[in-house]
Amino acid sequence: IRFAGPRAHTTVAIQGFLARCRHVGVQLDRWPKDTSDEAIHSLDEREGAFLGEHYDYRDSTRRLTDKTLKKIQFVREAVDLSKPLTMTALQFSTLMGLVFWSASVLSINLSEMFHLIRDYRQCAANAAISNNYHFQLTLTNTARSELEQWFQIALTNARVPMVSPTGEPTLTIVTDASAVGYGAFACTKGSTEWKVMSGAWPAHLKDKTGSSVFAEPEAIYLACLRFVRPEDYFVRIYTDHSPVVFANNAGYAKGFYPNELLRRLHVKFPSASFEILHVKGVNNPADTTSRIGGDVGERYEVSEEERGKLRLLEAEMWEGSV
């Protein structure tokens, strides 16, 4: 537990926290000898480690501990990625445990490991069905390449911020898609003006856009290309397509198109974090613009119904938000 802020404020906060711990019987590894300012601040630490994570409180960053790095280095030396790699389900599970854990600490984008995770799901499913956890699977070449990429990032162990920027989004986007086209509204922080975007699907995509599985993620990406600015660090997106909401929460997806959306957003906007929330289709103000089938530009007049839905959005009153 870390307390940060002016010394006088943190002292009061820590005193209250310690009193609560004693009241409910919480056990701490270290207690101050008393509740004086001097005793409390004698516990001040510049860095520390917990469950595989190393924290540097001086610059509010974290990375993997040396012990975790040694485990990853051991695995790296044990596998030869220059040729086909075959593993048992047990070995694969051990490896993926390290992959998922390191991704929770470092700046590792799981959506860029789509084929590695897919191979793991296949291996685990076969092992479970056959009740044989020595079941063997040979990784696809793409999965092997993604594994090599993970080793490079994990062993570099670059420091990352302890906490991602949150608070009020610098940009809010609400999107929708139809078989005809796509539409979006966008509003920047501190503004009450909603910008509008719409477009028709190009002919070469007509065989895909009949399905929301492709169309909805594509609409989100196109809206981000149009509205996200270099200074945007926290973007909130509303959509009525649940798979991309679940994918963003997990960091990857089983389905190709939701996963590809996350990967493209990470590559195109590496300095921005994205929050994707669900809104019921009947409450989505971008529904009409997605069905226009062309670029409305500056000509579009926002209807009273759409204004009402946007006001609900601004008040964060979406009944379907996750």
Side-chain angles (χ1 to χ4, degrees), residues 12 19 80 131 212 214 309:
V12 173
D80 183 359
N131 197 28
S212 63
F214 170 84
K309 292 178 179 179

Side-chain angles (χ1 to χ4, degrees), residues 286-303:
D287 177 76
T288 300
T289 57
S290 72
R291 302 177 188 279
I292 293 175
D295 185 2
V296 295
E298 302 288 333
R299 306 186 308 275
Y300 189 80
E301 293 186 9
V302 182
S303 69

Side-chain angles (χ1 to χ4, degrees), residues 8-296:
H9 295 176
T10 56
T11 300
V12 173
I14 293 170
Q15 288 170 340
F17 170 74
L18 294 174
R20 181 63 178 166
C21 287
R22 290 190 176 94
H23 177 72
V24 300
V26 171
Q27 297 299 312
L28 301 177
D29 289 337
R30 298 175 64 196
W31 291 84
K33 62 181 180 180
D34 55 53
T35 57
S36 66
D37 291 9
E38 293 74 17
I40 288 176
H41 285 277
S42 70
L43 297 178
D44 191 20
E45 296 177 333
R46 300 294 85 192
E47 54 186 312
F50 182 70
L51 294 179
E53 293 183 73
H54 183 277
Y55 306 100
D56 191 327
Y57 304 130
R58 292 162 293 196
D59 58 4
S60 295
T61 59
R62 64 181 181 179
R63 55 187 172 84
L64 299 173
T65 60
D66 291 340
K67 184 177 180 180
T68 304
L69 276 182
K70 289 180 180 178
K71 294 177 181 178
I72 298 174
Q73 185 63 48
F74 174 81
V75 177
R76 180 64 188 90
E77 294 172 357
V79 299
D80 183 359
L81 295 177
S82 65
K83 60 183 181 181
L85 177 62
T86 300
M87 289 186 287
T88 67
L90 285 174
Q91 291 170 331
F92 211 163
S93 294
T94 301
L95 171 65
M96 294 305 294
L98 285 172
V99 170
F100 286 122
W101 169 249
S102 63
S104 72
V105 179
L106 302 177
S107 181
I108 294 177
N109 185 11
L110 288 175
S111 65
E112 296 182 348
M113 300 180 188
F114 177 79
H115 300 89
L116 178 63
I117 296 174
R118 184 179 64 180
D119 281 7
Y120 175 55
R121 286 201 307 269
Q122 179 185 346
C123 182
N126 282 317
I129 292 171
S130 63
N131 197 28
N132 174 20
Y133 294 95
H134 295 285
F135 173 87
Q136 293 186 335
L137 181 137
T138 300
L139 268 65
T140 58
N141 291 337
T142 310
R144 192 151 41 92
S145 175
E146 293 170 351
L147 180 58
E148 176 63 39
Q149 178 187 2
W150 169 74
F151 275 123
Q152 293 175 1
I153 298 173
L155 291 172
T156 300
N157 200 22
R159 297 171 182 266
V160 298
M162 286 188 192
V163 181
S164 299
T166 55
E168 186 179 353
T170 57
L171 177 67
T172 299
I173 300 175
V174 55
T175 72
D176 202 5
S178 70
V180 176
Y182 51 90
F185 287 84
C187 185
T188 57
K189 181 179 178 180
S191 173
T192 58
E193 178 187 357
W194 286 89
K195 298 179 180 179
V196 185
M197 161 192 170
S198 70
W201 297 119
H204 71 278
L205 292 180
K206 289 293 185 181
D207 60 332
K208 296 182 179 180
T209 53
S211 170
S212 63
V213 173
F214 170 84
E216 296 285 0
E218 189 68 12
I220 292 174
Y221 186 67
L222 291 173
C224 289
L225 288 179
R226 174 75 171 268
F227 294 119
V228 176
R229 306 160 300 171
E231 62 267 31
D232 288 318
Y233 59 86
F234 178 32
V235 180
R236 177 175 292 161
I237 299 171
Y238 287 89
T239 176
D240 53 25
H241 191 60
S242 296
V244 297
V245 178
F246 300 139
N248 193 61
N249 289 339
Y252 67 98
K254 293 181 180 179
F256 177 80
Y257 293 116
N259 191 85
E260 183 66 3
L261 169 65
L262 300 187
R263 188 194 68 79
R264 290 197 292 172
L265 290 178
H266 179 77
V267 171
K268 185 66 178 178
F269 311 103
S271 61
S273 62
F274 291 86
E275 178 185 53
I276 303 180
L277 304 177
H278 183 261
V279 56
K280 289 183 177 180
V282 294
N283 292 334
N284 193 335
D287 177 76
T288 300
T289 57
S290 72
R291 302 177 188 279
I292 293 175
D295 185 2
V296 295

